[in-house]
Amino acid sequence: SQTIHQWPATLVQPVGSPLSLECTVEGTSNPNLYWYRQAAGRGLQLLFYSVGIGQISSEVPQNLSASRPQDRQFILSSKKLLLSDSGFYLCAWRGSGGLSRHEQFFGPGTRLTVL
Amino acid sequence: AQSVAQPEDQVNVAEGNPLTVKCTYSVSGNPYLFWYVQYPNRGLQFLLKYITGDNLVKGSYGFEAEFNKSQTSFHLKKPSALVSDSALYFCAVREGNKLVFGAGTILRVKS
């Protein structure tokens, strides 16, 4: 069966520090991968998605970047964090074929607090 | 562009009563529609989807949703609510490689 991992689970970082959040998926190949941010415990904002290694689509220009160095690894980064980067970051995957090729499956999330 | 709307910020229901969480959609072509649930500090969990076929879709935890093309709606329902159903619910529609989510509806079930 497929599983998705995110780490760390929680993170407290000072303003101006770098960021690296990692997401990995097991049990599938060539998934579509997604990064979302959820602020104030409510709406979801799609940040980036990737349909393959090295292929990144940015949805909202901002202080963040994403990379996909391996088929099942998706990394969210920042060189200098802002206070407004605080939030709950969710990674998701979608299969490229089969019965589950339409819905996305979400990881447990990373709670980021920038002070 | 595809979109969904969840007109209620919060729905309150007594335990044991039926519940409905509303969702309307605006799409070009045939919609692929989804419901997700989120518990505090957790990721979203997939509940059910409508792709094609029967208008009544059954999902996890006793939830179901009815696709209504004439009313462009996809309301989430459950015959008897549980306190443990209290959570944040999202409706979504597929747009290409992406999902477009509604703003979410908080469901509170009181005993």
Side-chain angles (χ1 to χ4, degrees), chain A residues 34 38 99 102 104 111, chain B residues 36 38 41 49 94 97:
Chain A
Y34 305 83
Q38 186 177 31
L99 294 176
H102 299 293
Q104 293 179 16
R111 173 74 59 191
Chain B
Y36 286 82
Q38 185 182 29
N41 296 310
K49 65 183 175 186
R94 181 174 169 179
N97 284 316

Side-chain angles (χ1 to χ4, degrees), chain A residues 32 34 36 38 41-44 46 49 51 59 88 90 94 98-109 111, chain B residues 8-10 32 34 36 38 41-46 49 51 88 90 94 96-99 101-106:
Chain A
N32 286 4
Y34 305 83
Y36 292 86
Q38 186 177 31
R42 204 52 186 265
L44 291 166
L46 178 62
Y49 72 94
V51 299
E59 290 295 296
F88 193 48
L90 291 161
R94 178 170 71 84
L99 294 176
S100 298
R101 65 184 183 278
H102 299 293
E103 59 267 36
Q104 293 179 16
F105 299 96
F106 285 77
R111 173 74 59 191
Chain B
E8 302 155 318
D9 283 344
Q10 184 167 319
Y32 291 1
F34 308 83
Y36 286 82
Q38 185 182 29
N41 296 310
R42 304 288 293 274
L44 276 68
Q45 295 180 33
F46 169 72
K49 65 183 175 186
I51 304 300
L88 179 58
F90 290 100
R94 181 174 169 179
N97 284 316
K98 302 179 289 185
L99 288 181
F101 286 88
T105 298
I106 296 171

Side-chain angles (χ1 to χ4, degrees), chain B residues 30-98:
Chain B
N30 295 320
Y32 291 1
L33 296 161
F34 308 83
W35 275 103
Y36 286 82
V37 61
Q38 185 182 29
Y39 297 98
N41 296 310
R42 304 288 293 274
L44 276 68
Q45 295 180 33
F46 169 72
L47 282 178
L48 52 81
K49 65 183 175 186
Y50 173 81
I51 304 300
T52 187
D54 289 341
N55 290 339
L56 185 63
V57 179
K58 294 189 182 295
S60 306
Y61 313 121
F63 284 94
E64 58 188 27
E66 184 171 9
F67 172 70
N68 188 316
K69 190 171 184 178
S70 63
Q71 297 184 10
T72 62
S73 66
F74 188 56
H75 299 334
L76 182 70
K77 299 181 179 184
K78 188 173 182 181
S80 178
L82 301 174
V83 172
S84 57
D85 292 329
S86 297
L88 179 58
Y89 290 80
F90 290 100
C91 178
V93 63
R94 181 174 169 179
E95 181 177 61
N97 284 316
K98 302 179 289 185

Side-chain angles (χ1 to χ4, degrees), chain A residues 2 7 22 24 32 34 51 63-65 72 81 83 95-96 100 105-106 111:
Chain A
Q2 300 89 358
W7 63 89
E22 188 165 345
T24 59
N32 286 4
Y34 305 83
V51 299
N63 186 40
L64 302 169
S65 62
R72 288 168 290 179
L81 283 169
L83 287 174
S96 55
S100 298
F105 299 96
F106 285 77
R111 173 74 59 191

Side-chain angles (χ1 to χ4, degrees), chain A residues 42-62:
Chain A
R42 204 52 186 265
L44 291 166
Q45 180 185 33
L46 178 62
L47 302 174
F48 302 95
Y49 72 94
S50 171
V51 299
I53 296 174
Q55 301 179 63
I56 307 296
S57 295
S58 176
E59 290 295 296
V60 183
Q62 52 200 310

